[in-house]
Amino acid sequence: MRKLSELALVLAGVLYPFIVYFGSEHVSAPVFGLILGGLWLVRAPALLRRPGGGWMLGITLAYCAVLALGGEEHLVRWYPSLICALLFAAFALSLKYGPPIIERIARVTEPDLPPVAVAYVRKVTWVWVIFFAANGIASGVLAAWASLSWWTFYNGILAYAVMGVLFVGEWVFRQRLRRRINQAPMNAAARRLGSHPWVAGAAGGYAGKQGPGMVVALSPAGRIALLRHGRAGLVNELGQHAAGDDPLSTPLVWRFADALPEAANVDATLQAPLPANASVIDEWKDGDTYVLRIALPLDLACFAEHFPEAPVLPGVMQIGWALDLAAPRLGTPRTCRAIDQLKFQRLLRPGDTVELALRHDTVRRRLHFVYRDAEAPYSSAYLQLEQARDD
């Protein structure tokens, strides 16, 4: 019942200008007063439990009583101005006696507001104080001297459009402030990381719902550390160094890269998922063989799970990449039915750049692949392809 009464009162307030416009010829001012008074009385128990709710209820009921006891028709138009006056008083008094109403609302979802956010919500409360004052005055002027149609247009359309602009604008500014709040400790953490021998460069940012994060360009020593200790060891060491004496400066999301992205792309890099495939740097055809130069990202997703303390590219992924990369170039299927002469001779590790040679033996229906560099192969095999289906 309480929620239903709240909804009814809100709908009555939103639709009130149109109710007056279309119903003033059929419904008298006393009936308007009785209906409004009844809705406010239903809400009375909840209002009386809120700070300032008693005097707001009393003023509103007094207005409804004037209408119900034979108030003139034009007094019906003063209801929006009355509501604006009450909201103006509530917001203004909260600024004087504290905490501001917007701060109370914000602390429902974020109890521990930082000082910069407290100052921000106070400014937002001031914006609404100014809006309610201006809106109430404009509505009162139109109620006193303008036609019913102009009064309805302003209170039923234009005022809500201005409120919409305020809500959207505040949301945009709030997101910018949130990024600054989250980025401030990350900037300090990035400066501290710059002194670590494993780090060539660092940039802090915000990974959305995942929280603050850090993009790190590894030095040669950092690459060796990644091979020796894996992603988990790297994150543990660099996380402690980034935090220093401030636990809030510990990044929750980490990305390791060959070079730092542009400042405008740091957040996008942190929010993007870890890469699942190698990067194709170059490719060419050598007779009946396709040769691709590929680079294994430092942040390849599988490295976090496949021997996390000593990352190695899984053999099954090497076979899958060979099939996937051959399909659009050689017209071969992405699956195989058997594997012959499979050899794993060297480990493929984060940051390696290698060549992948692909050759399709159409007679024997098999795909030969070899991962190699200038020194020797890493792995190779013959993949027996599925038989072609007759149409």
Side-chain angles (χ1 to χ4, degrees):
M1 183 64 182
R2 182 174 61 85
K3 292 184 178 180
L4 185 61
S5 65
E6 289 180 356
L7 178 61
L9 193 59
V10 170
L11 287 176
V14 172
L15 300 177
Y16 186 82
F18 300 101
I19 295 173
V20 172
Y21 183 79
F22 292 105
S24 58
E25 295 182 0
H26 310 286
V27 181
S28 63
V31 174
F32 274 112
L34 290 173
I35 294 173
L36 285 175
L39 291 173
W40 279 91
L41 283 173
V42 172
R43 290 284 294 122
L47 286 171
L48 291 174
R49 290 194 296 268
R50 297 178 182 177
W55 61 266
M56 294 180 69
L57 178 64
I59 293 174
T60 307
L61 290 178
Y63 167 79
C64 294
V66 170
L67 288 179
L69 296 175
E72 299 181 7
E73 296 296 331
H74 75 275
L75 289 179
V76 173
R77 303 189 197 180
W78 286 89
Y79 181 70
S81 296
L82 172 65
I83 297 301
C84 282
L86 294 175
L87 290 173
F88 166 82
F91 276 64
L93 289 173
S94 75
L95 285 170
K96 181 176 181 179
Y97 298 105
I101 286 180
I102 300 298
E103 180 180 339
R104 298 177 199 170
I105 297 173
R107 288 190 184 277
V108 172
T109 55
E110 298 185 36
D112 300 322
L113 289 178
V116 63
V118 173
Y120 170 77
V121 294
R122 184 175 183 83
K123 293 177 181 177
V124 174
T125 305
W126 267 112
V127 170
W128 284 107
V129 167
I130 295 171
F131 168 77
F132 289 132
N135 189 53
I137 292 171
S139 179
V141 170
L142 292 172
W145 291 293
S147 64
L148 179 60
S149 59
W150 276 107
W151 176 87
T152 303
F153 170 74
Y154 177 81
N155 288 284
I157 298 177
L158 188 58
Y160 290 116
V162 174
M163 290 177 65
V165 171
L166 287 177
F167 277 120
V168 173
E170 190 279 326
W171 183 87
V172 172
F173 279 109
R174 190 188 339 137
Q175 299 310 309
R176 292 180 178 177
L177 177 65
R178 191 187 300 275
R179 283 195 292 270
R180 288 201 302 270
I181 292 174
N182 287 315
Q183 200 163 1
M186 289 301 97
N187 289 339
R191 289 191 294 270
R192 285 191 287 270
L193 282 173
S195 63
H196 198 286
W198 294 355
V199 177
Y206 186 57
K209 294 181 179 180
Q210 300 178 74
M214 188 70 63
V215 181
V216 177
L218 295 177
S219 65
R223 286 171 172 263
I224 294 174
L226 177 61
L227 300 182
R228 289 179 176 176
H229 308 294
R231 180 183 175 85
L234 210 64
V235 168
N236 182 59
E237 166 65 22
L238 295 182
Q240 295 181 25
H241 194 84
D245 297 328
D246 181 11
L248 294 177
S249 295
T250 304
L252 301 180
V253 178
W254 292 85
R255 293 292 183 269
F256 300 112
D258 297 311
L260 293 180
E262 295 182 4
N265 297 327
V266 171
D267 287 356
T269 301
L270 290 168
Q271 294 169 18
L274 293 173
N277 297 296
S279 303
V280 178
I281 301 174
D282 193 11
E283 61 180 278
W284 63 91
K285 194 171 183 181
D286 184 8
D288 60 350
T289 302
Y290 262 95
V291 182
L292 296 85
R293 180 174 289 112
I294 62 174
L296 277 63
L298 297 172
D299 247 354
L300 196 64
C302 69
F303 289 146
E305 301 176 356
H306 198 256
F307 304 125
E309 295 182 356
V312 175
L313 184 67
V316 66
M317 187 163 287
Q318 297 180 41
I319 296 170
W321 284 359
L323 288 167
D324 288 340
L325 292 170
R329 294 166 176 82
L330 299 174
T332 53
R334 296 179 184 270
T335 58
C336 65
R337 58 186 177 86
I339 304 174
D340 297 330
Q341 302 179 41
L342 178 60
K343 299 177 182 178
F344 294 110
Q345 297 159 286
R346 299 159 65 196
L347 299 177
L348 282 169
R349 310 293 300 277
D352 283 345
T353 298
V354 298
E355 292 182 357
L356 171 59
L358 302 166
R359 182 171 58 84
H360 182 204
D361 185 341
T362 56
V363 176
R364 298 183 180 181
R365 289 200 53 78
R366 64 183 186 178
L367 173 68
H368 178 247
F369 77 83
V370 55
Y371 291 88
R372 68 195 186 194
D373 60 14
E375 299 178 0
Y378 284 88
S379 63
S380 61
Y382 288 92
L383 306 179
Q384 297 292 336
L385 304 175
E386 297 288 347
Q387 294 291 335
R389 295 181 179 179
D390 295 332
D391 295 334

